[in-house]
Amino acid sequence: MYIKNDRSELILSLIDKSVNIRTVVDLGCNDGATLSGLNFNKSLSAIDYHGIDYEITPSVINNNEISFHICDLNGELLEIKDLLKTSDLTLLLDVLEHLHKPEQFLERLSQIIKPSSQLVITAPNASSIRMLYAWLKKDFPRNDIGYFDRTHCSWFTTKSLSNITLSKFNYKKIGYIYSKNPVIKLLQKSFPARLASQFFILLTVR
């Protein structure tokens, strides 16, 4: 579980802000930190912020600027179908790897969200040297949070996730997420496919 993990800066660096973004939906929002960050930044024209998760923590219920909804993303999404149809920006930040059938989820999502909606996906990078290091150590960690989160059901690379989404989505941007430490960032940029722990994809529906 990621608490107070505001990734609004990353989102704003990726999306096309020239289009009208009125409604933002964060699937797997946790405590709503990213939505709060986007709302606080005020660089979007959005007026509606919606967070979706399988449960809502008591600390976020009183946030009057964000609407929180309970939905199991492994299901049919019926509870949030109408909401997704209105979304101009849909976020899937470190969510796909937790789902039982991510391919089916993306298929279902592509049939619901409108073509003009921007979709941002982030995921752990399975081609990272961290995976090789675990293999060499003959030990696959099962941590509570992070790269080796024990609740991960699937692993992706930019290529494997691209293959899954290619037929249903148009690609706008694809790349890696770098450390905020300038030294580590410089090192990661020299060989991102192996040294970056996460990647992103920005999509729209075909």
Side-chain angles (χ1 to χ4, degrees), residues 110-171:
S110 71
Q111 296 171 353
I112 299 175
I113 61 176
K114 56 187 178 182
S116 60
S117 178
Q118 299 182 72
L119 173 64
V120 179
I121 298 175
T122 66
N125 174 25
S127 68
S128 166
I129 196 171
R130 296 179 67 176
M131 189 69 76
L132 174 61
Y133 182 65
W135 180 79
L136 291 173
K137 287 182 62 180
K138 301 179 182 179
D139 178 30
F140 196 83
R142 289 177 56 80
N143 300 328
D144 291 334
I145 61 173
Y147 186 83
F148 288 110
D149 188 320
R150 57 186 170 79
T151 64
H152 288 177
C153 300
S154 302
W155 288 88
F156 304 99
T157 64
T158 54
K159 183 177 181 179
S160 67
L161 190 51
S162 296
N163 289 338
I164 293 172
T165 54
L166 187 61
S167 64
K168 300 297 180 183
F169 297 90
N170 293 313
Y171 283 83

Side-chain angles (χ1 to χ4, degrees), residues 44-109:
L44 298 181
S45 57
I47 57 174
D48 293 317
Y49 293 88
H50 299 273
I52 315 295
D53 221 316
Y54 67 94
E55 65 178 5
I56 303 300
T57 58
S59 61
V60 303
I61 292 176
N62 295 323
N63 190 325
N64 296 324
E65 297 179 328
I66 301 172
S67 297
F68 290 95
H69 313 262
I70 295 177
C71 178
D72 181 0
L73 299 182
N74 287 301
E76 297 297 322
L77 306 180
L78 296 178
E79 308 96 313
I80 58 172
K81 187 174 182 178
D82 290 340
L83 178 60
L84 287 171
K85 288 180 178 179
T86 69
S87 178
D88 300 302
L89 174 60
T90 306
L91 308 178
L92 271 173
L93 308 180
D94 298 342
V95 171
L96 286 181
E97 63 271 18
H98 296 274
L99 302 182
H100 301 319
K101 297 179 179 179
E103 294 89 348
Q104 290 185 13
F105 170 83
L106 288 169
E107 170 80 21
R108 192 176 300 123
L109 188 64

Side-chain angles (χ1 to χ4, degrees), residues 26-44:
D26 188 355
L27 299 172
C29 67
N30 200 272
D31 61 1
T34 297
L35 290 174
S36 295
L38 290 172
N39 183 44
F40 178 79
N41 186 278
K42 301 301 182 186
S43 66
L44 298 181

